[in-house]
Amino acid sequence: MTQTPSATLIRNGRVITATDDYVADVLLKDGIVHTIGHRLEVGPDVAVVDASGLYVLPGGVDTHVHLENVIGPTITCDTFASGTRAAAFGGTTTVVDFALQTETDSPLGAIARAQASAEAQVAVDYSLHVIVTRVDDQVLKDVQLAMRHEGVTSFKMFMAYPGVMMADDAAIFRMLRQVGADGGMVALHAENGTVIDLLIKEALEAGHTSPRYHAMTRPAIMEGEATHRGIRLAELAQAPIYFVHVSSNEALKHIVAARAEGIPVFAETCPHYLLFDDSVYNSDSLEIAKYVMTPPLRSTEDQKHLWRALRYDDLQVIATDHCPFCMKEGHLGYRLQKMRGKDDFSLIPNGAPGIETRLVSLFDIGVMQGRLSLNRFVELTATTPAKLFGLFPKKGTIAVGSDADVVLFDPAATQTVHAKALHGNCDYTLLEGRTLRGRVEKVFLRGQLIVDGPAWLGREGMGRFVPRGEVRAF
Ligand code: URP
Ligand code: ZN
Ligand code: ZN
């Protein structure tokens, strides 16, 4: 009879954290990293994995994903089950999704609703940010309760999408003041929503209906204006602030200046802003709907600034903003997704997939192309997101006592990306046909092997909600 192993020894791999790079044996036991050493001796009940030639990375932490998120009249096509399975195949073992406060319920209701759906489905560990769309005294009380008792310590607010999700400056300021004082983080979607809506209206009136006008009506300067405004609100509130999906130098220059002034401003960018530029919009083809995300792709000049900021820590996180909608109507039963906007670009649901390709695409264009060191790659994709959102050191590193979320990564392998071979529900990938260097070989979640090459050994419901603590930003 084969014995179920009580633990796993990863032998002779190259352990990479945000600060370390060494060859060692790593013993995963009782769900945590139990021992790190050389030539560790173990009994026959311990499974031994030879990791010679492989990197041993902390499981990725993706703090910006939209699974089962209702966005306008539709819903992202990845469920908690399909999205977390895809995350795992991509080497991500913790995701932070969004719980949307509706017109009538409170942040606490939003958390309970998301958890009720996630619990039986998630295959990796997860947490939630609450999207706060309405602020009053009761909402602020509930936000405090969420932080103290639910382990939800971050809240997203929108400066875009008037009448849908946009919060006004006073509401954002009130949230910043309270959440900051309690040790949490407000994450801001920074675009000037009312001006953008005017530009959209004018474009449509002029007969400009094709997807390319999505980009033309969301100019970088309006991302910059909102970023500047958000920084000033945070400065007044004496609170840290985090900007999601930074795409342009117009936004970045305010972040750089604020950080130089000592204001605690933090920011992420996303792989698509590094992989693609606005030249994709030079066509009236409906295929361009694939690239309709917010903010839109920017210029190659902007990309240079993003890379510089990633190198010098003016950007601290690369998260996916995985927000998948299908292109083909009826695919897997999802109707009226991207093609909703075939006659009116403003009806295309905003967002693109990327949860499974984050680590490998960044390894290829970041590490292999000499833009990021291996340590920085880990820091941007696991360690700092965990620190900024109260998950560290449980998540985001390989250290004795940390959760045994471990990725064995082969830097010498290559793979060609095809949507059909990915594990989510989306029917396209922006990386279709692209060959990338590096491959996720094995993934452990709290010590359990969930991905073994092409084999899925995980199961729905094995992921856990991770209560989060205070921001560890400085
Ligand atoms: O296009 C995007 N980013 N859709 C998701 C919603 C958001 O603003 O993050
Ligand atoms: Zn956003
Ligand atoms: Zn998003």
Side-chain angles (χ1 to χ4, degrees):
M1 203 174 75
T2 36
Q3 231 179 347
T4 312
S6 65
T8 301
L9 180 70
I10 299 171
R11 203 181 273 297
N12 223 19
R14 184 171 158 193
V15 179
I16 317 278
T17 69
T19 48
D20 307 307
D21 185 342
Y22 55 87
V23 173
D25 297 345
V26 181
L27 180 65
L28 315 181
K29 193 173 172 203
D30 301 330
I32 60 169
V33 175
H34 184 277
T35 315
I36 302 175
H38 283 289
R39 298 196 189 93
L40 296 180
E41 301 283 346
V42 289
D45 57 330
V46 173
V48 178
V49 175
D50 179 11
S52 307
L54 302 181
Y55 296 159
V56 182
L57 307 175
V61 177
D62 190 345
T63 48
H64 190 158
V65 307
H66 299 271
L67 309 177
E68 291 186 21
N69 280 196
V70 176
I71 300 199
T74 188
I75 183 165
T76 52
C77 68
D78 267 324
T79 60
F80 284 107
S82 67
T84 54
R85 186 181 56 221
F89 273 100
T92 289
T93 48
T94 307
V95 296
V96 187
D97 199 336
F98 293 90
L100 176 66
Q101 175 203 19
T102 62
E103 198 37 52
T104 47
D105 73 359
S106 86
L108 296 175
I111 294 167
R113 239 192 355 266
Q115 284 175 329
S117 181
E119 205 170 304
Q121 295 192 62
V122 280
V124 300
D125 286 356
Y126 81 106
S127 184
L128 298 163
H129 314 280
V130 178
I131 294 179
V132 174
T133 52
R134 180 174 53 81
V135 177
D136 57 28
D137 290 347
Q138 185 59 48
V139 168
L140 287 174
K141 277 192 194 126
D142 289 348
V143 162
Q144 201 154 54
L145 290 174
M147 292 187 63
R148 290 187 183 162
H149 302 298
E150 304 297 330
V152 171
T153 52
S154 53
F155 302 86
K156 182 176 179 185
M157 299 186 82
F158 284 81
M159 299 171 113
Y161 308 123
V164 190
M165 300 214 263
M166 192 175 96
D168 66 22
D169 293 349
I172 293 168
F173 175 69
R174 288 184 83 185
M175 280 288 290
L176 279 163
R177 196 168 50 184
Q178 177 177 299
V179 171
D182 285 350
M185 185 75 96
V186 171
L188 214 51
H189 174 130
E191 284 186 304
N192 185 317
T194 55
V195 172
I196 286 170
D197 269 18
L198 175 75
L199 298 178
I200 292 171
K201 185 169 160 284
E202 288 175 353
L204 291 171
E205 280 167 4
H208 297 151
T209 58
S210 83
R212 68 191 305 171
Y213 292 98
H214 169 78
M216 295 172 76
T217 53
R218 303 191 92 89
I221 192 168
M222 288 295 93
E223 185 188 359
E225 183 279 328
T227 304
H228 177 259
R229 194 158 27 106
I231 289 168
R232 298 281 83 94
L233 295 174
E235 186 182 18
L236 186 65
Q238 296 188 303
I241 190 165
Y242 180 87
F243 289 96
V244 293
H245 48 48
V246 171
S247 66
S248 66
N249 192 43
E250 285 288 349
L252 205 46
K253 69 184 183 193
H254 296 294
I255 293 167
V256 173
R259 288 175 63 81
E261 287 172 43
I263 302 170
V265 176
F266 305 93
E268 76 184 22
T269 191
C270 313
H272 42 261
Y273 299 119
L274 303 166
L275 287 156
F276 309 99
D277 62 66
D278 56 4
S279 60
V280 305
Y281 299 122
N282 292 339
S283 150
D284 281 316
S285 161
L286 284 178
E287 283 293 299
I288 287 174
K290 289 177 180 167
Y291 299 95
V292 169
M293 74 284 283
T294 301
L297 302 173
R298 305 295 192 191
S299 68
T300 51
E301 193 57 29
D302 285 304
Q303 286 182 325
K304 283 187 200 147
H305 288 286
L306 294 178
W307 282 116
R308 175 184 51 75
L310 287 168
R311 263 177 102 100
Y312 298 118
D313 208 36
D314 283 315
L315 288 170
Q316 299 80 31
V317 173
I318 307 179
T320 55
D321 194 5
H322 176 78
C323 191
F325 299 102
C326 286
M327 283 291 282
K328 292 193 197 80
E329 291 311 295
H331 177 81
L332 294 174
Y334 296 106
R335 293 202 49 75
L336 293 177
Q337 296 219 290
K338 289 289 189 182
M339 284 307 115
R340 268 183 77 77
K342 68 181 171 35
D343 302 317
D344 173 348
F345 71 89
S346 72
L347 300 180
I348 301 170
N350 293 184
I355 204 166
E356 192 168 341
T357 48
R358 179 178 69 134
L359 292 187
V360 72
S361 63
L362 292 171
F363 179 76
D364 184 273
I365 60 164
V367 178
M368 295 306 280
Q369 295 191 26
R371 292 175 169 122
L372 301 175
S373 70
L374 268 174
N375 299 113
R376 185 70 180 143
F377 167 68
V378 170
E379 190 169 35
L380 288 162
T381 56
T383 315
T384 304
K387 285 183 178 173
L388 285 176
F389 290 103
L391 291 158
F392 186 84
K394 187 176 171 67
K395 305 292 186 187
T397 194
I398 294 178
V400 172
S402 292
D403 278 2
D405 298 345
V406 174
V407 174
L408 301 189
F409 189 89
D410 185 351
T414 59
Q415 60 184 301
T416 302
V417 182
H418 295 292
K420 276 201 172 80
L422 295 177
H423 298 83
N425 282 347
C426 198
D427 60 353
Y428 77 94
T429 162
L430 298 178
L431 289 157
E432 187 65 41
R434 189 148 164 171
T435 298
L436 299 171
R437 287 164 288 181
R439 193 169 62 209
V440 170
E441 295 296 342
K442 290 186 198 293
V443 179
F444 297 86
L445 175 72
R446 283 178 274 101
Q448 293 188 56
L449 185 61
I450 57 171
V451 171
D452 190 4
W456 176 235
L457 306 179
R459 81 190 139 69
E460 293 177 18
M462 73 183 291
R464 288 188 193 151
F465 179 78
V466 190
R468 292 186 285 122
E470 292 193 359
V471 171
R472 288 219 199 169
F474 353 87

